[in-house]
Amino acid sequence: MLSKINKIIIIFLIIFNHNTSYSMNPESLKFDEKIVYNYFSALVSLNNNSNSDSLKFFNYSKNLKETHDEYIKQYIFSLILNEKINKAINEIKSIENKKYTDFFEAQLLLVIDSLKRKDFKSSSYYLKKLKRYEEIGTFEFIITGALEKYIYLFNKNKINTNLKDNFGNFSLVNKAFQSCYLGKSNTGSLFLNIINSEDVGKSRYIFFYINYLLSQNNLKTALAVSNDIDDLNSTLLLSQTKKWLINENYKNFENIFSCKNSNNIISEFLFLISNIYSGEGDLKKSNFYFNLSNYLNPSFKFNLSLLVDNYLEMGDLNKSENILKNFDKNNEIYYWYKIKKKTQIIDKNQDSLKASKYIKNEFKKLKNPSLKIILDMANIVKGFGEYELSIEYYTTILSRINSDYNMYADILYRRGGSYERIGMEEKSDEDLLESLTINPNSPYVLNYLAYAWLERNYKIDIAIEMLEKAYALREEDPYITDSIGWAYYLIGEYQKAEKLLKKAVRLMPNDPVVNDHYGDVLWKLGNKIQASYFWNNVLSFDDTEDKMRKEILYKLIKGPKKI
């Protein structure tokens, strides 16, 4: 009997013998088997995000480089993910059978290599080859089109107005950087066009606008722009930007980016592509383009936060932790980011008690933490169930901001939630009602307060009115859908309740509370077998609390208790 892996290898060998020059004699079969085993292991490792293992196995099967066209494509991808860009470029150049490098990523690497060397004539040559693939996908089309504009710019030192420029927000970004590269007077207004656009990622370009202003020795305007950066609700990069300006660390800006540097510009464009792929959940492609971006501008180390988040999402905690070593105490915002992510890693690798202890110790070491850091700390300890401590931090923030500040209502909501979790109902109601006074149409505050009242059997009619309002604002939110369904259950409107709770289960199928509620309403409608099915679901979930498990076991025997 052949083992499972040997069967797979033989299938691979049959496929390969249609595409390679190896014969099927016993001696070469043994040779092929070893190579294919390593190639197969490389593909499995690559698929499992084991990048270093995949590269090791690809190196063991390099005999396939000139005989199997798919090999080089996967091998190049593995090299890039392992940050071996120069090696990947050299492998592409060394391939004798050029048809094996006839794919988008290979030609892109040759373009990037020539850009890195500022050999713009070669860039134009390789771009022509790259353009053959521009129709295979949206991103390929955007990347090719943008590179065409930039390569023309770097070659001719002017903007080609004849090329198509219909890439939406990409076009706004490209225009700003092209003008900045040429030192045009309209550069500032072009950056403002991005900042004032409706693009959700526009805030990043406040950094580049300030960077440009400083390069023009316009410190006054740079400081004015930074004053509008929200201390509590801004990105890492913007928070760090403001901190640098406050501390007069102006050199930090030019040390990481200059729009006069062609590699810096292309690096930023590739980072934007990487960021979009990450947002769409294609983390491998995101890491691929990130490493190309970092290859062109390794000085912009703060971009590494994207790579950290990608690897955390992929479950590679060791890789994330190694990347975090790039963030030091000289840059407070990113250093705090490092502490938060290490806390997350400790929580996953060890337990929440050690994670909580670690971040509290690190927080104490900070001499004068910003409001943003205090807010982060409040949210983190709340997540660890330390509600009294979170209340202290939220109270500190509320005492230091004005009531008309745009996040005042949100912080009241958060503190009110902490009060509710420790049974301080009056304090909780006070905060949540004040939050609603400021922002009466906040669906999540309406939902939280109303659900808390339902749990207390308090002001049921008003609670239902609030939930109906919240549901009208967020019909597809699973928590709000569950809450309004449960409200109807409590007043005996089981048909209405069933319809909404069924929807909540569809929106959030693995939530214990939602399954429990749906089981209850099914029981009330006489569907006891179906009710038992959803209650048993609750018992199968890892995050079901012990108290709920006991209640479910009771229901499976006697049904829901009377309310």
Side-chain angles (χ1 to χ4, degrees), residues 26-38:
E27 187 176 345
S28 67
L29 180 65
K30 183 178 180 181
F31 179 65
D32 280 351
E33 180 177 326
K34 184 177 180 181
I35 293 173
V36 175
Y37 172 83
N38 285 322

Side-chain angles (χ1 to χ4, degrees), residues 517-529:
H517 286 171
Y518 191 47
D520 285 4
V521 75
L522 287 171
W523 178 278
K524 290 292 186 181
L525 291 170
N527 300 319
K528 296 184 178 181
I529 295 175

Side-chain angles (χ1 to χ4, degrees), residues 56 60 85 172 193 197 208 224 226 274 311 316 320 341 379 406 411 413 418 457 518 525 549-550:
K56 176 181 70 176
Y60 288 157
I85 318 306
L172 293 177
N193 286 344
S197 71
F208 292 105
S226 74
S274 172
Y311 279 116
D316 194 340
S320 295
K341 292 302 172 181
N379 294 334
N406 60 7
I411 297 166
Y413 162 51
S418 292
N457 198 26
Y518 191 47
L525 291 170
R549 289 182 187 278
K550 291 178 182 178

Side-chain angles (χ1 to χ4, degrees), residues 468-506:
E468 287 174 340
K469 183 178 181 179
Y471 184 69
L473 293 165
R474 292 287 188 279
E475 288 188 4
E476 295 303 310
D477 185 280
Y479 296 102
I480 292 174
T481 304
D482 173 68
S483 295
I484 185 66
W486 188 241
Y488 287 133
Y489 173 89
L490 292 176
I491 61 173
E493 294 191 30
Y494 300 130
Q495 295 291 345
K496 276 187 178 180
E498 191 277 335
K499 187 180 293 185
L500 288 160
L501 292 171
K502 183 178 181 179
K503 179 181 177 181
V505 169
R506 176 177 60 78

